[in-house]
Amino acid sequence: MSTPLLSPRNGVPEIVNNEGEFEKLIDELLKGSGPLAIDAERASGYRYSQRAYLIQIYRKDGGLHLIDPIPLKSSKLWDKFNKQFSKYEWVIHASTQDLPCLIEVGLKPELLFDTELGARLAGCERVGLGPLAESLLELQLSKEHSAVDWSTRPLRPEWITYAALDVDILLDIRDAVEKLLTEQNKLSWAQADFAAILASYQDFNFSDLPKPDRWRRTSGMHKVRDRLTMTVVKDLWASRDELARQLDLAPGRTLGDEAIVDLAVKRPNNLEAVAKLIGRRTRLDAPPFNRWLDVLNLALQTPTADQPEFRVPSQNLPPIKIWKEKNPLGYARLTHARAALLELSAQIKVPSENLVTPELVRKICWPQPPALSSEYQSFVKNELAKMGARPWQIEQVASAIASALGQIEPVVIPEPVEAEPIEAEVAISEP
């Protein structure tokens, strides 16, 4: 039976929001020992930026501390913090979510322990912070405040308690996960993955600039049937993104994706029609209906030569569902590789996606393999290494993937045994 954890063991500290308090915080942490537990709260879904609005830190004998990074954004004390603590291990749960906003503030760890990733490699069935607290510590964490607007000021007391609890127990979870990894001889695997995460952020520069063609992922694009309508979507998306950035408001709150597509497809020609079509698909108190109408009208005047292509060439491999027709031998190799990796995953209790990135397997199975089967193993190892797989991953999966390269027929999924005849035809899902 899990015990509900309602407040941090040593109480909830005041939030640090000025340099004097920040200096004291550093001094307090220096009195502690061992790793630092660190977490950050963002306002995803509320704000345009992914910046941190609260940072929580705990260290044994160094206390639990909460920092409001917004008023301290330009403080030089972040550099001092790094100089004092970057040599120690930083424990972060699901680090790839928090590292960008921590780096943007100025926090740069050199040694990482990711409790979520470590738990995955240790074979834990549920790897969220709450489930791990229950399964490993027999403590029950409340998670009802995980999706609140952390940019709100002042923060509500119950939110602050929730945030403080996340780091109050994080070092205990870290130790329990490390114990599991050690017992299973996987600690070196986890350490290699932690180091790879940090290496991927070594030259990271925080930027809110959207990636090219991100507008093509607007929800509802299946309704777009021609290049001119696509042009309207593109221009409305860019205008919305510009406004959202200016207001620091999540784009979807500025104007919903469905509203963008409806504007492009239905093309209202006056402000009243625009307002009626958009309706409540905006959170702005004074929606700029004239802005959207102007963008719409201007986009409709775009010459054909300047309109975006309806479909753009992709450098990626085709979707799996068309491998069977376009590359049947590659499809056969892939189904066998997947089956072998799933079996290996079950044997060593590591999710198959953590054993090896699925995209790497596809890239190996798509082309014609070496002529000699004796070369399959070295071919797989070399390809995985070139694509960035860790040594431990290569060691574990090379044989499983190599064994699939000579296959010419796909894995057959047997029909399910039916207790009684049925009238409707049963659809078999694709491997």
Side-chain angles (χ1 to χ4, degrees):
M1 181 68 68
S2 299
T3 302
L5 192 59
L6 304 178
S7 61
R9 289 164 289 191
N10 295 308
V12 180
E14 294 293 323
I15 295 178
V16 170
N17 57 17
N18 62 64
E19 292 208 344
E21 294 172 348
F22 196 1
E23 191 98 52
K24 292 178 183 177
L25 176 154
I26 292 174
D27 291 340
E28 286 297 314
L29 287 173
L30 284 171
K31 297 176 184 176
S33 61
L36 287 82
I38 297 183
D39 190 23
E41 305 297 344
R42 302 176 305 281
S44 301
Y46 295 93
R47 296 294 177 179
Y48 184 91
S49 70
Q50 291 299 308
R51 63 174 56 94
Y53 285 94
L54 185 70
I55 295 175
Q56 310 97 281
I57 304 175
Y58 172 76
R59 193 183 194 197
K60 182 180 178 182
D61 298 326
L64 192 158
H65 307 275
L66 305 176
I67 306 173
D68 182 350
I70 303 303
L72 294 165
K73 184 175 182 180
S74 302
S75 175
K76 294 182 179 179
L77 290 174
W78 299 110
D79 289 335
K80 180 178 179 179
F81 187 99
N82 286 329
K83 289 176 182 177
Q84 296 290 350
F85 300 111
S86 62
K87 62 185 176 183
Y88 297 103
E89 180 183 271
W90 293 18
V91 182
I92 306 175
H93 190 79
S95 62
T96 55
Q97 295 181 24
D98 286 345
L99 278 172
C101 67
L102 293 174
I103 292 171
E104 190 256 350
V105 167
L107 293 175
K108 298 177 181 179
E110 295 178 4
L111 190 61
L112 173 70
F113 193 106
D114 186 322
T115 46
E116 187 208 39
L117 178 53
R120 287 183 185 278
L121 296 178
C124 296
E125 292 186 5
R126 301 171 65 204
V127 296
L129 196 62
L132 286 179
E134 270 195 83
S135 63
L136 300 179
L137 307 180
E138 296 185 347
L139 295 174
Q140 185 178 342
L141 281 180
S142 173
K143 303 300 291 182
E144 70 264 26
H145 303 305
S146 59
V148 301
D149 182 2
W150 290 95
S151 67
T152 301
R153 293 295 184 271
L155 291 170
R156 297 179 184 176
E158 61 269 27
W159 297 3
I160 298 171
T161 299
Y162 155 84
L165 283 170
D166 279 358
V167 291
D168 189 53
I169 62 167
L170 192 53
L171 295 184
D172 296 325
I173 290 177
R174 176 239 179 266
D175 291 344
V177 170
E178 183 184 58
K179 182 180 178 183
L180 290 175
L181 291 168
T182 301
E183 290 171 349
Q184 299 173 30
N185 296 316
K186 296 176 183 174
L187 183 58
S188 61
W189 301 1
Q191 290 169 338
D193 280 13
F194 303 157
I197 290 174
L198 288 181
S200 70
Y201 286 97
Q202 189 171 8
D203 300 318
F204 181 82
N205 290 313
F206 191 91
S207 173
D208 288 332
L209 293 175
K211 296 179 180 178
D213 280 3
R214 211 173 76 188
W215 59 270
R216 289 184 180 272
R217 297 199 295 271
T218 303
S219 298
M221 284 293 281
H222 61 280
K223 300 177 183 177
V224 177
R225 303 297 184 185
D226 59 81
R227 290 174 62 190
L228 184 57
T229 306
M230 183 169 283
T231 302
V232 179
V233 171
K234 177 178 180 290
D235 290 358
L236 284 169
W237 189 98
S239 182
R240 178 189 70 174
D241 193 75
E242 179 184 18
L243 181 61
R245 183 192 297 272
Q246 292 170 359
L247 300 175
D248 192 18
L249 191 67
R253 289 177 168 260
T254 308
L255 183 66
D257 278 10
E258 290 185 359
I260 286 179
V261 174
D262 279 353
L263 286 169
V265 172
K266 297 178 181 178
R267 304 175 186 176
N269 58 10
N270 59 70
L271 289 176
E272 183 180 357
V274 169
K276 184 177 180 180
L277 188 147
I278 290 175
R280 296 184 179 181
R281 292 180 289 189
T282 178
R283 297 296 181 91
L284 298 178
D285 293 331
F289 298 126
N290 57 335
R291 179 188 182 111
W292 311 129
L293 182 60
D294 289 345
V295 172
L296 169 62
N297 289 333
L298 190 60
L300 290 174
Q301 301 173 30
T302 306
T304 302
D306 296 333
Q307 295 171 14
E309 294 295 330
F310 195 73
R311 290 185 177 87
V312 293
S314 174
Q315 301 300 318
N316 297 325
L317 293 173
I320 302 301
K321 61 184 179 181
I322 64 175
W323 279 43
K324 200 170 186 177
E325 178 183 346
K326 282 185 171 286
N327 185 359
L329 290 178
Y331 178 73
R333 293 189 288 268
L334 182 61
T335 60
H336 282 274
R338 282 178 159 182
L341 289 171
L342 285 174
E343 184 178 349
L344 176 62
S345 170
Q347 287 175 359
I348 65 176
K349 296 182 179 179
V350 173
S352 58
E353 64 271 20
N354 291 109
L355 272 175
V356 61
T357 306
E359 179 67 14
L360 304 191
V361 181
R362 292 193 287 269
K363 287 181 177 179
I364 290 174
C365 291
W366 176 264
Q368 184 70 26
L372 300 177
S373 59
S374 58
E375 298 176 359
Y376 289 173
Q377 184 105 344
S378 60
F379 167 74
V380 171
K381 288 183 175 180
N382 290 336
E383 290 300 304
L384 287 174
K386 283 193 293 185
M387 291 187 285
R390 261 79 74 196
W392 76 265
Q393 294 176 312
I394 297 172
E395 180 183 353
Q396 293 298 317
V397 306
S399 294
I401 299 174
S403 67
L405 296 188
Q407 301 293 335
I408 59 173
E409 294 292 337
V411 172
V412 176
I413 298 180
E415 296 273 355
V417 177
E418 297 169 0
E420 298 178 3
I422 57 175
E423 295 181 4
E425 183 178 346
V426 177
I428 305 301
S429 61
E430 184 180 328

